[in-house]
Amino acid sequence: MANPQPLVLPLVYEVKEQTTPKYTATLRDDAGAVLPAASVVTFTLTLYVIKTDGTIGYVNSRNAQNVLNTNNVTLDAAGLVTWSVQVADTTLVESLPFERHIALWEWTWSGGAKAGKHEVILNVQNLTEV
């Protein structure tokens, strides 16, 4: 995927079904300052799709999953987030030409008194439809 980006704007990445891209970003507080791992109290990832029937399907059991230096995600002293996306993260839930996997990142800092959220879209291409 792209170079590290600040977690401020929703980003959309085109990925192929059942591939393992790497996502990187810089974690920041509400003032835009970098948040190093030592300052972060909680860091979770929810990966979901909105299915054609309007219900939500969670991808790869990532439902508010702890990712503070675990579960294929690292956060370093410089605030660099690295997510080693897994095959199960890019496996389709439904049989569609493209499926939007929404990664909701949530984190707290300042002893848990402050919180941030950010979404990233993985636009997963179904290779059997191409």
Side-chain angles (χ1 to χ4, degrees):
M1 292 192 194
N3 291 327
Q5 299 291 320
L7 292 178
V8 290
L9 299 174
L11 299 171
V12 178
Y13 294 100
E14 303 293 328
V15 298
K16 306 291 186 204
E17 171 186 18
Q18 298 185 342
T19 60
T20 58
K22 187 169 285 190
Y23 170 78
T24 57
T26 302
L27 195 65
R28 298 184 183 276
D29 66 15
D30 50 2
V34 169
L35 275 172
S39 298
V40 176
V41 177
T42 62
F43 193 34
T44 63
L45 172 60
T46 299
L47 186 62
Y48 67 98
V49 298
I50 301 172
K51 299 192 299 189
T52 54
D53 66 3
T55 61
I56 291 178
Y58 295 100
V59 180
N60 195 16
S61 301
R62 294 191 190 269
N63 182 4
Q65 183 181 53
N66 175 25
V67 292
L68 186 53
N69 292 320
T70 189
N71 292 312
N72 317 113
V73 178
T74 59
L75 173 63
D76 70 13
L80 179 65
V81 176
T82 304
W83 174 23
S84 295
V85 179
Q86 302 297 295
V87 167
D89 296 324
T90 60
T91 296
L92 297 174
V93 173
E94 297 184 294
S95 184
L96 301 168
F98 288 90
E99 186 172 81
R100 293 169 59 104
H101 290 201
I102 304 162
L104 172 61
W105 299 92
E106 298 178 272
W107 61 96
T108 61
W109 71 97
S110 199
K114 298 199 171 211
K117 294 183 181 190
H118 180 72
E119 282 189 340
V120 174
I121 311 283
L122 302 180
N123 197 32
V124 182
Q125 180 183 5
N126 183 339
L127 296 179
T128 62
E129 296 289 330
V130 178

